[in-house]
Amino acid sequence: MSLARLAELYGVATSYSPSPGETVRASDAALTAALAALGVAADAPDALAAREAELAARPVPPTVVLWADGSTPDWLRRLPERARLALRPEGAREFTAWNPAEPPPPGVHRLRVDEPGGRSSEAHLVAAPPAAPRPPGRTHGLLVQLYSLLSTRSWGMGDLADLADLASWSARTHHVGFLQVNPLHAAVPAAPDGTMDPSPYRPSSRRFPDPVHLRIEDIPEYAHVPAREREAAALREAVLGKGELIDRDAVWALKREVLETVVRDVPLTPGRRAAYCDYLAAQGTALEDHATYLALAEVHGPDWHTWPAALQDPRSAGTARARRDAMDRVDFHSRLAWLTDTQLTAAQRTATEAGMPIGLVHDLAVGVHPGGADAWAQRDVFAQGMSVGAPPDAFNARGQDWGLPPWRPDRLAETGYAPFRALLHDLMRHAGAVRIDHVMGLFRLWWIPEGEAPTEGCYVHYDAEAMLAVLLLEASRTGTYVIGEDLGTVEPGVRETLHARGVLGTSVLWFERDWESPGEPPVPPGQWRTDCVATATTHDLPSTAARLTGDDVRLRERLGLSTATPAEAAAEVSDWLGLFARLGLLAGAPGDEEESVRAVHRFLLRTPARMTGIWLPDLIGDRRPQNLPGTWDEYPNWRLPVADAAGRPVTLEDIASSPRAHALLSVFSAPVVPLTGPPDARSV
């Protein structure tokens, strides 16, 4: 039996290219482990024949796509002659004869194929628009890590009312068109020692928001319980006045204590009770599972793998009994999800009412924590014993392990991508746009066997057409724009496919160099792509001021991290500043830091990018990155408040009154202007 052939038939790649012209073969152990996670015993003597027979027996895959552009899909061409088709439209109960010349409405339908020999089979049919909605004009926005944005009313970290207030101020004062925020997904509950993972990119659930972001005072029932302003003020003062790190654990402990009192002691009014019941009905089993996980985690700890065996299965009789016994706790966590959902909706409404053409841009993390709610509730859809990461490349010879279990592509297809559809639906309900972290994951992911080094992994392919069809279908239903984070190693053809389907890319200034020309000069603004979000930095990169001054290099040297030499970093900055000067974007005295930061953003405005993102800490000269990849305890990742150039924490009110912030935003003072003219030659 050919292991390589068997892997190929299951979408497991037998090699990868860490750099152009270089090919590395995946080990037999990696292929065998990936197949095992897909339920395949690679050493079974009939494994290959069984897979070939399985594929031959199906006239269509479990999920097929029909684009609303008049094209004929390959699966339709390959159907047996005289096969009869029937369709059960989304929401309908009966199949009716279907003529492919009459395309169905957008949706996820059920297709039945009756072959001439009497054999029948069924599949999900995703009828999708050919492209996602595109922003009609050019606009600029702020990139915000919400926890880091404290106001004088925050309880120790930024909350949803702060987000709404930032939206209202920035839109009304500076014509800001969107706020791109870090993932607000529900975090894994605290470990036995009371600590929680602060990373917003390793959540417990991607479907439900985290109640730590609630503004407690905006909950109507809070007016009827004793105020806790003294404790809240102490948390706020610790960060803003004493220089302490954001303590998410302490913030949640206080908020949770108050919420326990609110839910226990203050009944909902009839109208609010009806709204809550509507939310419960709309969310159904998914919310019940999420709340049950949280209730069980209170008793057995946050990692479901350590729970009693009967409780590790969300559909077991033991879990059903435990849910009934803990119904008060299930209701408590369901109530918090509803309260957070209502404040998210209010924040997006505030943004659009203030004049933002897009409003909130929510971030969809690439995966979830292996011990969290989603991995428990959807355990059959996740590949057990595997972790997502990145292979070795020119920038990281050891590769990366992100500690996130991957979805099984076969199980997704069997369900018509129901888990993916559900989380997109909920995320897009209160978003003007969605950013897909590591959008290349729609095409393939690097699977690493549990306990192995990242170098011992292999790529597993997903049905990118089906994933994109579901993404575009949900986006079209809500009018949501889609942004793909397509930085780093990108498989050939991926950016072109995303562009053709209306998914915007991400372009970061420092990466936009002509890598094939001598000296690798900066790419001029007119040669940037149109369909992208153009930014100077991201949450994983230094702030603009740190990059310009070399503070980022000094920080990495101090922590013993590999980095460019100070001379190399200074030369890179000099290249860019020279280009800015030649384009007439620099004013003032040489070496003026604030003017150089403004020149960076004037340059971004010269590009044809549909959306321009401004890193919020750049408004006031913050030097510190929010996250420093490659560190854990060495650096306070995800725990820093926004600070000024001297490292002093600043509030939202301070930013709104900052001359430096106003001067930078004045670069974007013109109202939104529609795009005109043909797309540039580097549209992808």
Side-chain angles (χ1 to χ4, degrees), residues 24 86 110 143 182 252 263 285 287 398 422 435 492 672 675 684:
V24 177
R110 194 69 176 160
L143 315 180
N182 60 282
W252 176 233
V263 172
T285 301
L287 177 60
R398 294 178 297 179
R435 173 188 179 271
V672 174
L675 287 171
V684 295

Side-chain angles (χ1 to χ4, degrees), residues 143-150 157-158 182 198-201 239 245-246 537-544 546 552 555 615-618 620 622-632 634-644 647 649-650:
L143 315 180
V144 185
Q145 297 288 295
L146 179 56
Y147 60 86
S148 72
L149 179 69
L150 282 75
M157 61 181 282
N182 60 282
S199 173
Y201 289 92
V239 177
L245 298 175
I246 291 170
T537 190
T538 74
H539 58 267
D540 284 333
L541 295 172
S543 70
T544 304
D552 62 318
L555 172 62
W615 180 236
L616 180 75
D618 280 347
I620 34 79
D622 197 345
R623 296 287 199 276
R624 307 170 303 176
Q626 282 294 315
N627 180 50
L628 192 58
T631 63
W632 184 250
E634 308 95 321
Y635 188 79
N637 296 315
W638 316 114
R639 289 174 287 168
L640 292 171
V642 177
D644 62 16
V650 298

Side-chain angles (χ1 to χ4, degrees), residues 28 49 64 113 140 162 203 225 249 305 350 368 383 418 422 430 461 544 569 665:
D28 287 354
V64 294
V113 180
H140 63 282
D162 294 325
V225 301
D249 305 338
H305 296 91
T350 297
V368 295
H430 24 59
H461 289 277
T544 304
L665 288 170

Side-chain angles (χ1 to χ4, degrees), residues 285-442:
T285 301
L287 177 60
E288 186 176 64
D289 285 344
H290 178 68
T292 299
Y293 162 83
L294 291 169
L296 294 177
E298 292 175 345
V299 178
H300 302 288
D303 186 351
W304 62 269
H305 296 91
T306 66
W307 295 356
L311 301 183
Q312 293 182 23
D313 181 354
R315 303 290 165 251
S316 72
T319 297
R321 286 192 297 271
R323 180 185 293 115
R324 288 193 299 270
D325 293 343
M327 191 51 65
D328 285 349
R329 302 308 301 163
V330 172
D331 180 68
F332 172 74
H333 292 294
S334 298
R335 180 88 67 91
L336 301 197
W338 170 61
L339 292 172
T340 313
D341 185 87
T342 60
Q343 291 196 9
L344 273 170
T345 302
Q348 171 66 359
R349 183 171 58 247
T350 297
T352 55
E353 288 177 351
M356 284 190 171
I358 296 177
L360 302 184
V361 180
H362 284 293
D363 199 347
L364 178 63
V366 70
V368 295
H369 194 286
D374 283 2
W376 175 73
Q378 302 171 8
R379 56 179 295 178
D380 291 342
V381 185
F382 286 93
Q384 302 301 318
M386 305 299 289
S387 178
V388 171
D393 57 26
F395 301 99
N396 190 332
R398 294 178 297 179
Q400 301 173 54
D401 185 346
W402 303 332
L404 309 169
W407 268 335
R408 285 181 55 164
D410 57 334
R411 295 284 171 78
L412 285 178
E414 290 165 6
T415 65
Y417 294 83
F420 190 39
R421 285 188 279 132
L423 73 89
L424 289 172
H425 173 78
D426 279 352
L427 195 63
M428 290 177 175
R429 283 192 302 109
H430 24 59
V434 167
R435 173 188 179 271
I436 310 295
D437 187 40
H438 192 69
V439 72
M440 296 81 77
L442 300 180

